[in-house]
Amino acid sequence: MVRAHAAAERRLELTIAHADLREMAANMYAGRPEAQAAAFARHVDRLKAGGCGAVAVTSMGGHFCIRQLEAISSLPLIDAIPALDRHFAASGLRRVGVLDSRNAMASRLYGVGSVEVMAPADEDLPTVHATYVAMAAAAEATDAQCRYLAEQGQKLHEAGAEAIVLGGTDLFLAFDGRPPPYPLIDSALVHAAAIARVAMGA
């Protein structure tokens, strides 16, 4: 976003409200999207009071309650799901694999409809989820975690995925400086580009 604004010679005006990850995780795992939407809505109200004109939930995991938040948000939402749909449609892809938290994988990226979304095998989902969560909590990836996630991406690629979507915001850590032999799509970058376009009125 910073680079996009700089390239356009525009000033970036960004205000952040930090949501509690523990609260979000507890609501996600307990299946309480309405409760998390209400928690996010309180942040949205503060952002609106601070002069913001639109808001984005920058966690892909946080999109488990995006429809519920949309219904009560006091600001327009810059939703990652339509941004991903537009990106996939423009790329011509027909089938992608996803690595992310359990909810995002099991829901096939919360209803993305422009492509077929493949998730890891059922027996692998818990370990992929645990590996991602541990990596995100530490803000770094071990060699073993990098190898495991790359192998899961390879499995999806061999099963027919034309590209692997890094759904989790921190998943880039596993592939930074370790390009795999298959295309990657970082959902955080796709979402950031959409946020920048809205911010610049494009």
Side-chain angles (χ1 to χ4, degrees):
M1 289 174 60
V2 173
R3 286 195 297 269
H5 278 74
E9 298 184 348
R10 298 284 296 275
R11 179 179 176 181
L12 172 61
E13 301 210 8
L14 177 67
T15 304
I16 297 173
H18 179 67
D20 190 311
L21 177 60
R22 293 167 300 179
E23 178 183 39
M24 188 187 84
N27 283 327
M28 182 166 60
Y29 300 147
R32 297 190 296 256
E34 291 82 6
Q36 187 57 45
F40 280 153
R42 289 191 291 273
H43 289 295
V44 174
D45 290 343
R46 286 195 286 272
L47 291 168
K48 183 178 181 180
C52 295
V55 66
V57 175
T58 56
S59 160
M60 185 59 70
H63 278 66
F64 84 100
C65 67
I66 202 71
R67 298 284 78 83
Q68 290 82 3
L69 176 58
E70 186 177 43
I72 61 174
S73 175
S74 58
L75 287 174
L77 299 183
I78 309 170
D79 187 343
I81 307 307
L84 285 168
D85 262 327
R86 289 190 296 270
H87 181 84
F88 296 146
S91 70
L93 294 170
R94 295 169 297 173
R95 184 180 297 116
V96 299
V98 61
L99 299 174
D100 202 338
S101 63
R102 183 185 292 108
N103 281 36
M105 292 185 292
S107 68
R108 303 302 195 265
L109 277 176
Y110 303 114
V112 160
S114 59
V115 291
E116 177 187 348
V117 179
M118 301 170 60
D122 289 346
E123 61 269 22
D124 292 326
L125 277 177
T127 307
V128 173
H129 170 84
T131 301
Y132 168 57
V133 169
M135 187 185 71
E140 60 182 4
T142 66
D143 287 343
Q145 289 168 337
C146 292
R147 284 194 300 272
Y148 176 75
L149 291 169
E151 288 166 3
Q152 287 297 316
Q154 184 64 36
K155 284 184 180 181
L156 289 166
H157 184 55
E158 291 173 355
E162 298 165 277
I164 305 304
V165 179
L166 304 182
T169 311
D170 302 287
L171 269 167
F172 76 95
L173 292 168
F175 296 90
D176 192 23
R178 303 169 184 248
Y182 44 81
L184 290 177
I185 298 171
D186 189 335
S187 67
L189 295 181
V190 174
H191 195 197
I195 296 168
R197 285 194 296 271
V198 171
M200 291 189 287

